[in-house]
Amino acid sequence: MFARNVAVIGTGYVGLTTGACLASLGHSVVCADSDRDKVDRLRKGQVDILEPELADLVADGTAAGRLTWVTEAGAAFEQGTRPVEIVFLCVPTPMGAGGLADLGVLEAVVDEIRTLLPPDCVLVTKSTVPVGTGDRITQLLDREDVAVVSNPEFLREGTAVHDFLHPDRIVVGSARQDAAERVAALYARLGAPTVLTDGPSAELIKYAANCFLAMKLSYVNAVAELCERVGADVVDVTEGMGYDRRIGQKFLSPGPGWGGSCLPKDTSALLQLADSADFEFRLVRAAIDTNSRQHKRMVDKIRLAVTGSRTGSLSKVKLALLGLTFKAGTDDLRDSPSLAVAALLRQAGADVVAFDPAVSPADDRLPLAVASDAYQAAADADAIVVLTEWPEFRRLDWPRLAACVRTPAVVDTRNLLDPSVLAQAGFTWSGVGRPARAESPPGGHLLTGSATASR
């Protein structure tokens, strides 16, 4: 594999992971970001993002000279003796008005670098962008010598480095086959299946994949509610489903809803695209509606656990919330279902105090009290509510927590905890899609030599 000279514009979650991982593959990478303080920290190997292995890759790449940092996009093209061959755009494309992705930052960067790009280089959109963005960038560039390529990322927060270096597939799309092949060659060492296609198809693949995952999560949350109504156990139901290779085990865990930086904005963006094409994408719309309903359903479960009624008053009820991030293993609070549930609880008059291993009590982004540990959060609480699946919560001293609370009740919206452990500590337990009588750890037991899952 030939090492390439690469520039990455933007050192957010996607850009930093992209730059560090490409450098680890042997490429020479320069990363540009307008935040001077951030660039100074990166030069020292300091990474602000909570992501396993990323800080080590940044430090190793910087020390080896394969990873350098600049504060101006134009300076990224002046590094080394050879010109930059491939430029990645990894800038924010947040949800804008009406749910469509806001391309303001992306277009501003394209305008800034338009005349600075080296001749015959390839400009790659790594950011998630609406279908047709590649054509729009081509028009903005007005450079026949610069090819535009779409190379969407499929990184999961908490496992981004692993996902980059062990991808399920590489997707590269462009109207110019030679440019697409140049970008695909960057990943040759990974040996992953590669999909070479046109630009619009590559852009749609990202949205189609994320929206499918959102629908799968909404589906399993609906199945969990059905389980509660008919007396089935969603853990056994999803285990039985997951052994079917057509379905798979992943994204079959019910919870308080889905969120994060991708699924909410990507589902909204796909709906906008469908509307613009005069197509009513009812499946995606139903997934979004189901997700919003799930937040309210969790509040009803909490009402039931505390008051004995799904319509009982939560006024002046104190609740200890365990988990604020949208999932475990990250410090990302964007569109977190935990925060959505917390907001509904506060609207209902509840007094909420939260604890999350990745959120500081001094964090001023949150409109609620954050404790320094779970025991402080649980002091005099009428119930403990698990909202994020941090494994640390399984290892809490539950007898000690029982001594802290006013009422020993746990609402486990992630089915994370072992009900028998809680029962021994004196707690009542309620999960999602599981009968209250369940006393074994989450997960059924496969009988050796049998296709029957039993408990």
Side-chain angles (χ1 to χ4, degrees), residues 218-291:
S218 285
Y219 177 79
V220 77
N221 281 334
V223 169
E225 181 174 1
L226 181 60
C227 285
E228 292 176 8
R229 292 174 181 258
V230 302
D233 191 329
V234 73
V235 172
D236 289 341
V237 172
T238 54
E239 182 180 25
M241 292 168 58
Y243 284 115
D244 188 327
R245 289 189 296 270
R246 297 169 300 175
I247 297 173
Q249 299 281 357
K250 295 181 179 179
F251 282 75
L252 283 182
S253 297
W258 41 265
S261 62
C262 293
L263 298 190
K265 74 180 183 69
D266 289 355
T267 49
S268 294
L270 190 62
L271 280 184
Q272 289 290 322
L273 173 65
D275 289 345
S276 69
D278 194 26
F279 171 62
E280 188 175 359
F281 211 141
R282 294 181 180 178
L283 282 172
V284 175
R285 194 174 301 279
I288 295 173
D289 292 342
T290 300
N291 196 51

Side-chain angles (χ1 to χ4, degrees), residues 328-376:
T330 178
D331 56 359
D332 197 341
L333 296 169
R334 288 175 290 181
D335 279 301
S336 170
S338 304
L339 294 181
V341 172
L344 291 175
L345 292 171
R346 294 175 72 243
Q347 289 174 17
D351 176 18
V352 300
V353 180
F355 166 69
D356 189 292
V359 179
S360 167
D363 196 320
D364 59 4
R365 296 174 295 172
L366 300 171
L368 50 84
V370 179
S372 58
D373 59 40
Y375 309 100
Q376 183 184 62

Side-chain angles (χ1 to χ4, degrees), residues 162-426:
H162 180 274
D163 292 345
F164 191 103
L165 298 177
H166 303 86
D168 294 325
R169 76 290 203 194
I170 304 294
V171 175
V172 185
S174 178
R176 290 175 48 176
Q177 182 79 6
D178 60 328
E181 291 176 351
R182 287 170 66 186
V183 173
L186 293 173
Y187 305 96
R189 281 182 55 186
L190 302 180
T194 300
V195 178
L196 294 179
T197 183
D198 57 86
S201 295
E203 293 164 343
L204 184 55
I205 285 169
K206 175 60 185 289
Y207 283 113
N210 274 357
C211 290
F212 182 85
L213 296 177
M215 289 191 296
K216 191 174 182 181
L217 288 169
S218 285
Y219 177 79
V220 77
N221 281 334
V223 169
E225 181 174 1
L226 181 60
C227 285
E228 292 176 8
R229 292 174 181 258
V230 302
D233 191 329
V234 73
V235 172
D236 289 341
V237 172
T238 54
E239 182 180 25
M241 292 168 58
Y243 284 115
D244 188 327
R245 289 189 296 270
R246 297 169 300 175
I247 297 173
Q249 299 281 357
K250 295 181 179 179
F251 282 75
L252 283 182
S253 297
W258 41 265
S261 62
C262 293
L263 298 190
K265 74 180 183 69
D266 289 355
T267 49
S268 294
L270 190 62
L271 280 184
Q272 289 290 322
L273 173 65
D275 289 345
S276 69
D278 194 26
F279 171 62
E280 188 175 359
F281 211 141
R282 294 181 180 178
L283 282 172
V284 175
R285 194 174 301 279
I288 295 173
D289 292 342
T290 300
N291 196 51
S292 296
R293 184 174 183 275
Q294 190 71 357
H295 302 154
K296 298 173 184 176
R297 203 169 82 81
M298 296 303 99
V299 174
D300 289 344
K301 292 181 74 67
I302 295 166
R303 290 181 191 272
L304 180 63
V306 174
T307 71
S309 169
R310 292 186 183 275
T311 60
S313 173
L314 291 177
S315 178
K316 298 183 180 179
V317 168
K318 182 178 180 183
L319 299 171
L321 309 184
L322 299 187
L324 292 173
T325 56
F326 86 94
K327 71 172 187 176
T330 178
D331 56 359
D332 197 341
L333 296 169
R334 288 175 290 181
D335 279 301
S336 170
S338 304
L339 294 181
V341 172
L344 291 175
L345 292 171
R346 294 175 72 243
Q347 289 174 17
D351 176 18
V352 300
V353 180
F355 166 69
D356 189 292
V359 179
S360 167
D363 196 320
D364 59 4
R365 296 174 295 172
L366 300 171
L368 50 84
V370 179
S372 58
D373 59 40
Y375 309 100
Q376 183 184 62
D380 296 322
D382 293 294
I384 295 174
V385 183
V386 178
L387 289 171
T388 308
E389 73 282 18
W390 287 99
E392 292 95 321
F393 296 155
R394 293 195 187 102
R395 300 190 292 271
L396 290 171
D397 186 339
W398 286 98
R400 178 183 171 188
L401 283 168
C404 294
V405 300
R406 185 158 48 207
T407 307
V410 171
V411 179
D412 186 358
T413 72
R414 297 284 187 167
N415 293 338
L416 175 73
L417 307 175
D418 183 341
S420 64
V421 170
L422 298 184
Q424 291 172 8

